[in-house]
Amino acid sequence: MAQKIKRESAPGETYKLQALQEFYCSEITSYNHKLQVQHEESESRTQTQLQINYGRHWDEINNKKKIFITQLFKNDSSSSLANYLMEFTLQMPERQANYRTELVHTCRMQGRRESNTQVKVLYNDKTPFLAGLQWKDSSKPSLKKWEGSLNLDTPWLYLQTSHKLNQPHSRAYQSTVEITAAKAISVKKLVLYTYYKDKGNKKEGRIHVHTPTTTYLKASAVGHVGENFFRSHSEVVSRWNLPIKNALSVESKEKVKSLYFWIKQQKKEFNFTANYASREQPKKKRNLSVLASWMDHKAPPLLAQLNVQIEELKREKLLFQNRASLNFRHSLKLPVPRNLLLQETFTVDKRKQRYVLEVKALVNEEDETVHTLTLGYQPEAPYVTCPSVLSITSSGSRSAKRKLLSFSC
């Protein structure tokens, strides 16, 4: 067994290291080998080489039982440019194996910034893996503009993408991504386009996903935002459905609030409207109305309407009267009358010392029922009365039945 180490260096320049090891055994020939290491290092370059000869004929020139390993790192960077190279090599002649990995990175630091990174793997003169990433910044002082691409090639997947992001003007952004893939999946020039614009209280956005032959998704929306309101309009069309249009409006003020929603697809349309209003003078009054409609060319329109009102009729020192009403109309298939009116009147009469609650129900504008509950609170003779009146109108005739139930305590 023999070993030898040699060092060479020059100040500020190159450092070299060479090492040699030989091992020979006449009885155990499988461990015979020769190992050589060479390491070289400078300011911009570092390289290490390893060579191993082994086997029975390890010392012969035509011996194929060898291993070569090389590792290299280069740095050619400057103040305005970053440039790196990394390389790893493995060779085994006996097994006919030749493997090499290479990484190259370049980046421009000043002016228009650009970056390029490449990774390559070679095996026996074939390229089983290849990847590249490019990026460029062409921005102006007030407007941004970026471009980039990614390339990937493997035995299972081929992928090529490009991306662009820029500002047409200071308050708008648009982005485009193009994708092409093959082998495991097949995609040909799939483009994803997005756009966003912010102009004060107006917002606008668009999305478009398509290939040269097919549109997968196309959507646009415009919105207006104010201190007390929001309004938007949008349209969506895809490969799987017909165009859908939509509108939304919301308004919220101190005494008025409203909501409007509309959606339409071809000959089908849905509307929903809700309004709320409040008034304090000259008398308190609150109104709530809700209207929903569904229209389809294949069937009659379907409607549903709800109105609720609460109002103050009288407010005096000895007399107070309040009324609430609810009116529900619809053309739906529901176990509820198509036209229902409920009205409730509550009276406080301090002169006569009584409370009166009157409830009126009108069904389909024909059947009417009135219930009155009176509570007297005189100290000497409190009482409760509950008369009811039922009126039925049918085929132009009208009849009435009256029942009076009263008791006192």
Side-chain angles (χ1 to χ4, degrees):
M1 179 176 179
Q3 292 185 353
K4 183 178 179 181
I5 299 176
K6 182 180 179 181
R7 296 183 178 88
E8 296 181 4
S9 61
E13 294 182 358
T14 304
Y15 171 79
K16 293 183 179 180
L17 172 65
Q18 294 182 350
L20 173 64
Q21 181 188 75
E22 294 184 4
F23 179 84
Y24 173 72
C25 181
S26 58
E27 295 180 358
I28 308 176
T29 57
S30 60
Y31 287 110
N32 297 339
H33 67 267
K34 179 181 179 181
L35 185 149
Q36 299 180 74
V37 179
Q38 182 174 344
H39 178 77
E40 184 177 342
E41 184 176 338
S42 64
E43 292 183 357
S44 61
R45 178 187 176 96
T46 300
Q47 183 175 7
T48 302
Q49 294 180 340
L50 172 65
Q51 179 178 340
I52 303 174
N53 294 20
Y54 62 94
R56 182 185 296 273
H57 305 287
W58 60 276
D59 57 344
E60 297 180 4
I61 297 177
N62 59 354
N63 179 36
K64 291 187 177 182
K65 294 185 176 182
K66 299 179 181 180
I67 300 176
F68 297 95
I69 300 176
T70 303
Q71 181 175 299
L72 174 65
F73 175 76
K74 290 178 65 176
N75 182 4
D76 296 329
S77 303
S78 62
S79 59
S80 60
L81 178 68
N83 190 6
Y84 301 99
L85 168 66
M86 294 181 65
E87 185 179 274
F88 177 82
T89 304
L90 172 63
Q91 295 177 335
M92 301 178 67
E94 182 186 16
R95 301 191 179 185
Q96 297 181 349
N98 187 356
Y99 172 84
R100 181 161 67 96
T101 300
E102 183 180 281
L103 170 65
V104 180
H105 174 72
T106 304
C107 181
R108 189 182 301 276
M109 301 293 189
Q110 296 180 356
R112 187 174 63 179
R113 300 187 62 181
E114 297 183 26
S115 177
N116 188 351
T117 304
Q118 299 283 342
V119 179
K120 183 189 295 185
V121 176
L122 294 96
Y123 183 75
N124 292 348
D125 298 327
K126 296 182 180 180
T127 308
F129 182 84
L130 178 64
L133 178 63
Q134 294 82 34
W135 173 76
K136 180 169 63 175
D137 184 358
S138 305
S139 302
K140 296 180 180 180
S142 58
L143 299 177
K144 303 297 182 182
K145 185 178 181 180
W146 298 284
E147 298 179 21
S149 63
L150 171 66
N151 299 317
L152 179 66
D153 191 2
T154 70
W156 309 277
L157 177 65
Y158 171 78
L159 179 65
Q160 181 181 6
T161 67
S162 63
H163 179 244
K164 295 181 180 180
L165 175 64
N166 67 300
Q167 289 182 272
H169 47 84
S170 59
R171 294 187 176 183
Y173 298 86
Q174 65 181 15
S175 170
T176 304
V177 180
E178 182 175 328
I179 302 174
T180 297
K183 298 180 182 179
I185 57 175
S186 180
V187 179
K188 187 176 181 180
K189 293 185 179 180
L190 177 66
V191 178
L192 171 61
Y193 171 80
T194 58
Y195 175 84
Y196 176 74
K197 182 180 179 181
D198 184 355
K199 191 176 181 180
N201 64 348
K202 181 181 179 181
K203 319 290 181 181
E204 180 180 353
R206 294 197 295 266
I207 298 177
H208 192 191
V209 183
H210 64 95
T211 63
T213 58
T214 306
T215 294
Y216 292 96
L217 175 65
K218 189 174 183 180
S220 62
V222 179
H224 297 264
V225 182
E227 184 178 357
N228 299 314
F229 72 91
F230 170 77
R231 290 191 291 269
S232 72
H233 299 271
S234 62
E235 184 173 353
V236 179
V237 61
S238 72
R239 183 181 178 183
W240 305 276
N241 66 272
L242 296 171
I244 299 175
K245 297 182 179 181
N246 170 254
L248 175 65
S249 176
V250 180
E251 184 175 355
S252 177
K253 296 182 179 179
E254 183 179 357
K255 297 182 180 181
V256 178
K257 303 180 187 299
S258 64
L259 169 66
Y260 172 73
F261 177 79
W262 171 79
I263 186 169
K264 181 178 180 181
Q265 181 183 22
Q266 204 175 16
K267 296 182 180 181
K268 298 179 180 180
E269 184 176 341
F270 175 75
N271 282 275
F272 180 85
T273 305
N275 294 290
Y276 172 78
S278 175
R279 187 186 68 186
E280 299 293 334
Q281 298 295 335
K283 295 180 180 180
K284 290 184 179 181
K285 187 175 182 179
R286 291 176 175 82
N287 291 283
L288 172 65
S289 63
V290 178
L291 174 63
S293 65
W294 170 257
M295 287 177 281
D296 190 347
H297 70 288
K298 297 180 180 179
L302 299 177
L303 301 174
Q305 183 177 6
L306 174 67
N307 293 309
V308 179
Q309 185 179 87
I310 302 175
E311 59 180 327
E312 185 181 90
L313 301 179
K314 294 181 180 181
R315 177 178 285 275
E316 300 174 1
K317 186 176 181 180
L318 300 177
L319 182 64
F320 170 80
Q321 193 173 54
N322 204 6
R323 182 169 65 189
S325 61
L326 181 149
N327 189 3
F328 180 59
R329 301 168 180 258
H330 72 91
S331 59
L332 309 174
K333 294 181 180 180
L334 296 175
V336 179
R338 291 184 177 271
N339 190 345
L340 176 63
L341 173 63
L342 296 176
Q343 191 176 81
E344 179 186 277
T345 304
F346 180 69
T347 305
V348 178
D349 192 343
K350 294 184 179 180
R351 294 176 182 174
K352 298 181 180 181
Q353 295 183 330
R354 67 180 183 180
Y355 299 103
V356 181
L357 176 64
E358 182 186 81
V359 180
K360 177 181 177 182
L362 182 62
V363 179
N364 295 330
E365 298 182 348
E366 295 181 352
D367 304 337
E368 183 181 57
T369 304
V370 179
H371 294 277
T372 304
L373 176 64
T374 303
L375 173 62
Y377 58 92
Q378 293 89 343
E380 64 281 0
Y383 64 94
V384 176
T385 61
C386 183
S388 64
V389 177
L390 174 62
S391 300
I392 303 175
T393 303
S394 178
S395 303
S397 63
R398 183 179 180 88
S399 62
K401 295 181 180 180
R402 182 181 180 88
K403 294 182 179 181
L404 178 60
L405 301 176
S406 64
F407 58 91
S408 61
C409 59

